[in-house]
Amino acid sequence: MSATAKKQAPNAEDIRARKGGTPLVSLTAYTTPMARLMDRHCDFVLVGDSVGMVLHGLTSTLGVTMEMMIMHGQAVARGLSQAMLVIDMPFGSYEEGPQQAFRNAARLMAETGCAAVKLEGGVEMAETIRFLVKRGIPVMAHIGLTPQSINTLGGYKVQGREDQAEAVLADARAVAEAGAFSVVLEKVPQKLADKITAEVAIPTIGIGASAGCDGQILVVDDMLGFFTAFKPKFVKRYADLGPLAEAGIAEYAAEVRARTFPAAEHVFSDQAPSKG
Ligand code: KIV
């Protein structure tokens, strides 16, 4: 599929069927204009709970609420017609058990029109994933570094090195077996990501994992250089728009103070222009 040809948004089964094929392309989005820019280039767009840190200035994703995910989910939905919309379940909205997870996932789908939800966790979330999938809710899993668990993981560390590798592999097997249609692998060693990709039957989506994954995802504000608080090693900056935006703002401020903006072409005369 060329980047310019018009396509229909894939669904969860279309994404599952891409296992081993052309790599899946994905980015996060939180607003309508950004969603419009990426719609024809991405297979799926994730409204990540990273929205809390990227747009709301939170220091982790733990303070993100269902209301925030719904509001940003609705905004992104308005900007998409060709890419699939997936929305993160925020911290505290699914961990109590399958019923709580179903209630909140169904609300996300009903109020935003998203085609699937993503939730963090491996073996411990398998029962919940199975419950949701059996009841009509496609689930993308997220294992390795799961940022909602930073307080028990001890920070944003690589997951699955040395004797931890078996546990991450077990997580991947568990979510695939429970019916997830794909799995995000965040910050796991390259060799382990390749092993998981070779072993599980569902597409692996890497972020800080391996080019051998079945797809990749990045936080859009990281890769465009808007989010500059810190830059994880796994982020490649494809543009440096933060400094460009600040330069524009600084020039505007200087022109306002010098009264050179607005100029003649930005103001209105007291007579309507003649029609002919
Ligand atoms: O919240 C998020 O943006 C994510 C992706 C980075 C995978 O979970």
Side-chain angles (χ1 to χ4, degrees):
M1 173 74 63
S2 84
T4 48
K6 183 101 177 148
K7 61 180 168 65
Q8 251 209 325
N11 58 36
E13 289 314 304
D14 298 325
I15 298 291
R16 185 198 293 275
R18 293 275 297 273
K19 176 75 189 173
T22 311
L24 290 155
V25 178
S26 174
L27 287 169
T28 66
Y30 320 106
T31 63
T32 308
M34 197 63 94
R36 285 200 176 117
L37 289 176
M38 63 182 69
D39 186 34
R40 68 196 173 103
H41 302 285
C42 288
D43 296 295
F44 70 88
V45 169
L46 173 73
V47 182
D49 61 354
S50 49
V51 68
M53 299 174 76
V54 172
L55 289 197
H56 293 267
L58 300 176
T59 54
S60 77
T61 57
L62 300 182
V64 175
T65 62
M66 280 291 291
E67 285 64 35
M68 287 161 78
M69 297 312 297
I70 288 168
M71 190 184 72
H72 290 285
Q74 289 170 339
V76 170
R78 288 180 207 116
L80 297 183
S81 64
Q82 303 185 52
M84 177 186 180
L85 174 60
V86 182
I87 300 188
D88 257 348
M89 300 201 68
F91 180 62
S93 72
Y94 59 97
E95 299 89 335
E96 268 174 56
Q99 271 88 2
Q100 184 212 21
F102 181 82
R103 206 164 43 250
N104 284 316
R107 185 172 165 215
L108 281 179
M109 291 183 86
E111 295 188 30
T112 67
C114 70
V117 299
K118 176 166 82 58
L119 56 81
E120 296 183 5
V123 171
E124 74 284 9
M125 279 300 146
E127 182 196 350
T128 294
I129 293 171
R130 188 171 291 109
F131 189 92
L132 295 183
V133 173
K134 282 226 157 93
R135 286 158 182 78
I137 298 183
V139 177
M140 177 177 288
H142 181 159
I143 64 170
L145 173 64
T146 46
Q148 293 175 9
S149 303
I150 44 157
N151 290 313
T152 46
L153 293 177
Y156 296 94
K157 298 178 190 153
V158 174
Q159 300 293 312
R161 280 191 169 133
E162 298 163 12
D163 57 355
Q164 283 184 346
E166 263 316 305
V168 178
L169 190 55
D171 284 337
R173 289 185 185 127
V175 299
E177 199 268 322
F181 70 91
S182 59
V183 57
V184 171
L185 306 182
E186 180 163 353
K187 235 173 157 178
V188 301
Q190 185 177 15
K191 272 193 182 155
L192 177 59
D194 289 343
K195 185 170 178 183
I196 292 171
T197 301
E199 221 187 90
V200 297
I202 56 174
T204 55
I205 311 297
I207 175 162
S210 168
C213 287
D214 298 298
Q216 302 294 327
I217 187 165
L218 282 176
V219 169
V220 70
D221 291 67
D222 283 341
M223 56 89 78
L224 293 182
F226 278 124
F227 184 76
T228 51
F230 58 89
K231 187 181 92 60
K233 172 180 160 77
F234 58 75
V235 170
K236 176 172 175 184
R237 284 256 156 87
Y238 286 85
D240 211 4
L241 301 187
L244 209 62
E246 193 183 345
I249 292 164
E251 191 178 341
Y252 163 75
E255 289 191 1
V256 168
R257 291 189 181 111
R259 295 193 192 281
T260 55
F261 178 84
E265 68 268 32
H266 306 120
V267 295
F268 301 92
S269 70
D270 53 6
Q271 284 178 346
S274 56
K275 283 195 180 128

